Amino acid sequence: MPDAISLAGKTVLITGASSGIGWATALAFAAKGANVVVTARREERLRELCELIVSRGGKAVYVAGDASTEATAQGCVALAVKQLKGSSVDVSVVVGFPHGSNRAETKAFESKLAIQDGAKEIDMVMNIGQFLAGNYDTVQKDIEAVVAEAKKAKVLVKVIMETCYLSKEQVAKACTIAEAAGADFVKTSTGFGDGPATPEVIEIMVKTVGKTMGVKASGGIRNWETAVGYLNQGCTRLGVASTEAVLDGAQADGKY
């Protein structure tokens, strides 16, 4: 990892923990002062992951469902919470994946269950179809439903906008809707869309709500320069899949 950049106070998301990613990756970021958030996709690795993050002072364990296992996102939350009991590490969970088309009541109920199981952060997908149709009130109420559940327990909410489908003006509009709905973060991508985060999109997000909300770049971060560039632009969290390659200064392959 290059030595010139301090990551103190930054939060880095490391994904694909079950697909061969070395734990040295998480430790390398932690050594730079970053809060390390790692996506666990298999229950059998979750216990080991929790132990690692606790021992190294990480920020959170990010639990996502995986169609290749019987473990759902919520099913793993309770296990992660149990493993992290007594530590300062949080559990994050996703709702409304991958398209955000669930009813607002469904997203709110997903959030409620995750919070009951101990989640401290919720990543929700914005209702992209309703947004593109111009039904902004519906989109805001959708976010507000999740925020209402989250705020009862002082849980953070991140809104995923799938910016690859939005114009620059729409990105700004989506940010203001998320802000008005009371969310804490805006996030670019789920990994299921047709495109990644871009510097242009991040510039709009930071300019629009960077003073009042956190901004998370996710997708397409395949080298060190891109990762650091987004942090320098004002992002406070990153979604990175090929973390080892990025840290080693290589050009990573892959869709996400």
Side-chain angles (χ1 to χ4, degrees), residues 123-124 126 131 157-179 183-190 195-219 221 230 232-239:
D123 280 36
M124 66 164 294
M126 178 182 77
F131 179 86
V157 175
K158 298 190 286 293
V159 178
I160 307 171
M161 303 188 303
E162 207 71 291
T163 54
C164 61
Y165 299 126
L166 309 181
S167 68
K168 293 180 180 180
E169 293 76 17
Q170 288 173 327
V171 170
K173 179 65 175 179
C175 285
T176 60
I177 290 173
E179 180 183 38
D184 302 287
F185 277 79
V186 286
K187 175 179 172 180
T188 59
S189 316
T190 63
T198 66
E200 293 77 17
V201 163
I202 294 302
E203 181 179 2
I204 294 168
M205 294 169 71
V206 171
K207 182 178 180 180
T208 305
V209 295
K211 292 183 179 180
T212 57
M213 303 179 73
V215 175
K216 178 177 175 180
S218 183
I221 304 173
Y230 285 140
N232 288 338
Q233 277 190 276
C235 288
T236 48
R237 301 208 185 185
L238 302 178

Side-chain angles (χ1 to χ4, degrees), residues 83-126:
Q83 290 296 121
L84 297 170
K85 185 177 181 180
S87 76
S88 61
V89 180
D90 292 331
V91 176
S92 301
V93 71
V94 299
V95 303
F97 268 51
H99 307 301
S101 58
N102 312 54
R103 291 171 60 105
E105 296 90 339
T106 301
K107 291 180 183 176
F109 189 60
E110 284 186 84
S111 301
K112 180 179 180 179
L113 292 177
I115 292 166
Q116 286 177 348
D117 281 343
K120 296 300 182 183
E121 296 184 1
I122 301 293
D123 280 36
M124 66 164 294
V125 184
M126 178 182 77

Side-chain angles (χ1 to χ4, degrees), residues 29-42:
F29 268 125
K32 287 292 183 180
N35 296 319
V36 179
V37 182
V38 184
T39 300
R41 296 188 183 275
R42 297 185 189 277

